[in-house]
């Protein structure tokens, strides 16, 4: 590990040990932190800081609790891992994690009616209002991941045996959310271009209705799917669903938090986002937003009464199981939110970087982009069967030669060993890093005598 990264973690951890000393004192100060112990720790930190400044010293960070290695992937590498890019925390989120790490830390000022989304200190209630506004929907809740958002919707709308129309590029969590509710998924075929068309959705709704005698209860569509990150015409599909009086769930796992999403304009009845995928938030986090029409259904409150005690918990929402993201997960999500809102305004630049890298890849003869091209997203599926995989064919490390070459250049996150179809995500990388990435791909290609068409 890079020594400055080492020393940064060492300093952070050493400060946490000071913090623990402060936590162990009496509130009236009569039981001061033992000064010898305190001074020793301060000296330790000073030495770490001296090393940090000079970039010297020996690595001492070790494992957390003897088992957890320090994760320095984002500090030391360019990470192109497809699902990790837009979930990378902001510095504000990391600070919130430190400050609110204790269990129910969000609940210090929880007052009647005792519900997470009503807490005003810290401003959790306002955050909920802001989230709904950000997505142009009426009401929003935070949920532990997009999948729990799907589940809240299917569990509210779908009865055993009901059909739910999904895309044939749908994420597995959509399948599971339907299954958990006892429903059955019905997939809309994708076109040859790997894009789901509104007409095919209409046809599927007709076919399901005819075959089962019942219209589907819900249509779920991924704006950008996880396989190709191709864009699907959600607005057109919402129109179709509404013609059949079926609500539309907009799966924004790859959009909410990276590009502007206007739920009502798209015709979505439910907008779902993933905090850890696209909102620079810790896992598990996400958002479920809906309209006034559906709020009372998905956010219905409990009507259960204890048979012995007669207890009722009036305002608790059944699908949320009362409260959802307590503590640092939510606080970090809130801490990232101003930056997340801002960054959605720069999506076009992210797309330019994505296309820039694809051009570099395509300059290596035999390489292809399997996703729609030019790219409209930062996640892309590429095929290097005709380039890097040819090298892998005769290399003693097989496909691993490619990951070796990348990691030698400080690039990680591609599926190790894969040289045919693989995915990468450029979200949030600076132009400098994207250029470096492009140059590295060309360099590796030339090293193994693949033809590279360098222009200009
Ligand atoms: C990642 C992903 C999900 C799951 O999101 P979680 O927040 O991890 O539950 C759902 N759908 C799509 C399209 C995804 O890419």
């Amino acid at each position: 590990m890079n020594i400055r990264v080492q020393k940064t973690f060492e300093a952070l951890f050493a400060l946490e040990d000071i913090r623990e000393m402060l936590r162990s004192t009496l509130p009236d100060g009569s039981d001061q932190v033992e000064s010898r112990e305190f001074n020793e720790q301060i000296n330790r930190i000073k030495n770490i800081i001296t090393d940090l400044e000079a970039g010297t010293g020996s690595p001492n960070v070790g494992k957390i609790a003897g088992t957890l290695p320090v994760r320095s992937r984002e500090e030391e590498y360019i990470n192109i891992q497809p699902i990790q890019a837009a979930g990378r925390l902001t510095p504000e989120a990391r600070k919130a994690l430190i400050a609110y790490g204790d269990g129910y830390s969000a609940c210090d000022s929880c007052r009647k009616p005792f519900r997470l989304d009503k807490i005003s200190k810290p401003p959790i209630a306002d955050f909920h209002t802001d989230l709904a506004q950000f997505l142009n929907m009426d009401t929003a809740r935070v949920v532990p991941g997009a999948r729990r958002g799907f589940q809240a919707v299917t569990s509210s709308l779908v009865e055993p045996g009901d059909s739910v129309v999904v895309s044939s590029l749908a994420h597995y969590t959509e399948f599971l959310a339907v299954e958990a509710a006892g429903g059955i998924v019905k997939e809309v075929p994708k076109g040859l271009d790997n894009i789901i068309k509104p007409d095919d959705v209409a046809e599927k709704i007709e076919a399901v209705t005819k075959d089962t005698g019942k219209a589907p209860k819900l249509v779920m569509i991924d704006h950008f799917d996880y396989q190709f990150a191709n864009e699907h015409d959600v607005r057109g599909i919402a129109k179709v669903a509404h013609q059949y009086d079926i609500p539309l769930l907009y799966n924004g796992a790859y959009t909410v938090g990276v590009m502007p999403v206007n739920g009502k304009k798209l015709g979505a009845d439910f907008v779902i986002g993933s905090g850890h995928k696209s909102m620079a938030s810790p896992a598990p986090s996400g958002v479920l937003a809906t309209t006034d029409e559906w709020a009372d259904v998905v956010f219905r409150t409990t009507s259960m009464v204890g048979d012995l005690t007669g207890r009722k918990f009036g305002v608790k929402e059944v699908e949320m199981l009362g409260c959802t993201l307590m503590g640092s997960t939510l606080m970090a999500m809130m801490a990232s939110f101003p930056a997340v809102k801002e960054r959605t305004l720069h999506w076009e630049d992210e797309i330019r970087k994505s296309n820039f890298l694809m051009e570099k890849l395509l300059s290596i003869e035999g390489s292809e982009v399997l996703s729609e091209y030019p790219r409209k997203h930062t996640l892309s599926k590429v095929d290097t069967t005709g380039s890097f995989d040819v090298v892998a064919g005769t290399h003693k490390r097989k496909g691993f030669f490619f990951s070796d070459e990348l990691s030698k250049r400080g690039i990680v996150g591609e599926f190790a060993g894969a040289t045919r179809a693989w995915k990468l995500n450029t979200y949030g990388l600076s132009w400098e890093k994207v250029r470096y990435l492009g140059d590295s791909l060309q360099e590796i290609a030339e090293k193994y005598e693949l033809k590279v068409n360098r222009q200009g």
Side-chain angles (χ1 to χ4, degrees):
M1 199 186 293
N2 170 307
I3 199 69
R4 281 214 163 94
V5 175
Q6 277 271 348
K7 294 295 160 188
T8 299
F9 278 107
E10 273 178 46
L12 286 167
F13 294 173
L15 281 168
E16 280 294 335
D17 291 332
I18 292 258
R19 183 182 181 191
E20 189 59 21
M21 290 179 199
L22 299 176
R23 283 179 166 215
S24 68
T25 62
L26 286 174
D28 66 2
S30 63
D31 160 41
Q32 282 298 335
V33 172
E34 215 207 302
S35 61
R36 192 181 46 82
E37 200 190 335
F38 181 79
N39 289 340
E40 272 175 21
Q41 186 63 9
I42 291 288
N43 278 331
R44 219 168 282 145
I45 292 170
K46 282 184 181 163
N47 288 333
I48 298 170
I49 299 293
T50 306
D51 277 339
L52 175 59
E53 191 178 18
T56 55
S58 52
N60 266 324
V61 70
K63 290 184 176 173
I64 303 165
T67 51
L68 306 174
V70 166
R71 181 173 182 270
S72 58
R73 175 179 278 242
E74 303 296 348
E75 287 75 14
E76 297 199 273
Y77 300 96
I78 294 179
N79 184 11
I80 56 171
Q81 211 276 0
I83 69 174
Q84 290 179 338
R88 236 178 251 131
L89 299 185
T90 58
E92 292 74 21
R94 293 198 296 275
K95 290 170 196 170
L97 278 186
I98 295 175
Y100 282 90
D102 294 314
Y104 284 115
S105 61
C107 313
D108 291 339
S109 305
C110 184
R111 305 279 179 269
K112 260 191 166 161
F114 304 118
R115 213 172 71 194
L116 182 76
D117 59 293
K118 304 279 191 195
I119 293 174
S120 59
K121 235 177 66 183
I124 297 172
D126 289 346
F127 177 59
H128 281 78
T129 313
D130 292 350
L131 267 180
Q133 205 173 32
F134 174 60
L135 300 170
N136 193 23
M137 296 295 276
D138 297 321
T139 316
R141 296 286 183 271
V142 290
V143 288
R147 65 195 70 200
R148 293 291 180 181
F150 307 152
Q151 190 184 29
V153 175
T154 55
S155 157
S156 302
L157 269 60
V158 178
E159 304 280 335
D162 284 345
S163 304
V164 174
V165 168
V166 301
S167 140
S168 48
L169 295 166
H171 195 257
Y172 78 92
T173 53
E174 295 172 50
F175 274 51
L176 269 54
V178 172
E179 186 170 1
I184 299 157
V185 295
K186 301 288 182 181
E187 297 172 280
V188 180
K190 59 191 171 78
L192 289 174
D193 52 2
N194 293 317
I195 291 177
I196 308 291
K197 313 288 188 310
D199 284 350
D200 294 329
V201 175
E203 209 168 289
K204 191 72 186 193
I205 293 172
E206 297 268 357
V208 170
T209 309
K210 189 155 162 269
D211 292 351
T212 67
K214 269 191 314 192
K217 280 290 172 65
L218 179 68
V219 174
M220 295 168 110
I221 288 295
D222 318 11
H223 188 181
F224 283 84
D225 67 88
Y226 77 100
Q227 295 191 42
F228 298 96
N230 286 349
E231 184 173 28
H232 306 282
D233 177 9
V234 181
R235 204 167 164 188
I237 292 168
K239 253 191 215 129
V240 164
H242 291 158
Q243 273 162 14
Y244 294 91
D245 258 338
I246 305 172
L248 182 105
L249 183 154
Y250 170 99
N251 180 353
Y254 269 115
T255 57
V256 172
V258 292
M259 61 181 273
V261 172
N262 185 332
K264 285 201 179 153
K265 193 168 160 202
L266 291 165
D269 298 280
F270 307 99
V271 170
I272 292 179
S274 171
H276 47 265
K277 172 96 44 68
S278 297
M279 300 175 78
S281 301
S285 60
V287 56
L288 160 58
T290 189
T291 58
D292 287 336
E293 184 186 355
W294 291 100
D296 292 342
V297 179
V298 271
F299 302 138
R300 68 193 174 284
T301 53
T302 170
S303 54
M304 194 64 61
V305 184
D307 67 329
L308 285 182
T309 60
R311 289 178 308 150
K312 296 183 284 196
F313 298 94
V315 300
K316 303 286 195 201
E317 293 167 349
V318 177
E319 294 300 340
M320 301 296 112
L321 292 173
C323 298
T324 54
L325 308 185
M326 316 99 174
S328 60
T329 312
L330 175 58
M331 292 301 116
M333 193 185 187
M334 287 170 59
S336 273
F337 192 56
V340 163
K341 267 201 294 200
E342 222 284 317
R343 75 188 196 176
T344 60
L345 305 175
H346 307 292
W347 180 238
E348 290 307 318
D349 198 41
E350 295 293 338
I351 299 304
R352 277 191 283 276
K353 286 183 268 183
S354 176
N355 277 304
F356 174 88
L357 189 69
M358 290 304 113
E359 281 164 35
K360 288 281 189 177
L361 182 89
L362 289 172
S363 76
I364 302 164
E365 273 191 15
S367 304
E368 282 178 58
V369 179
L370 297 178
S371 303
E372 62 184 338
Y373 187 71
R375 301 297 303 124
K376 298 181 194 167
H377 204 279
T378 57
L379 168 68
S380 299
K381 187 170 189 175
V382 300
D383 190 336
T384 50
T385 307
S387 54
F388 295 117
D389 194 58
V390 175
V391 179
T394 57
H395 199 284
K396 62 178 185 313
R397 291 274 294 150
K398 298 263 182 338
F400 289 97
F401 96 90
F402 188 49
S403 3
D404 293 346
E405 291 290 351
L406 287 172
S407 71
K408 252 192 266 175
R409 291 166 174 79
I411 300 160
V412 295
E414 90 299 346
F415 192 78
T419 42
R420 290 179 189 156
W422 52 286
K423 293 194 275 190
L424 77 165
N425 197 336
T426 56
Y427 189 78
L429 300 180
S430 63
W431 271 107
E432 222 179 346
K433 286 187 173 176
V434 172
R435 283 194 201 98
Y436 178 93
L437 258 175
D439 291 345
S440 299
L441 290 175
Q442 289 184 329
E443 243 178 68
I444 297 169
E446 280 173 343
K447 175 171 172 187
Y448 291 95
E449 288 163 6
L450 296 173
K451 179 137 194 283
V452 176
N453 300 309
R454 290 183 183 265
Q455 312 115 306

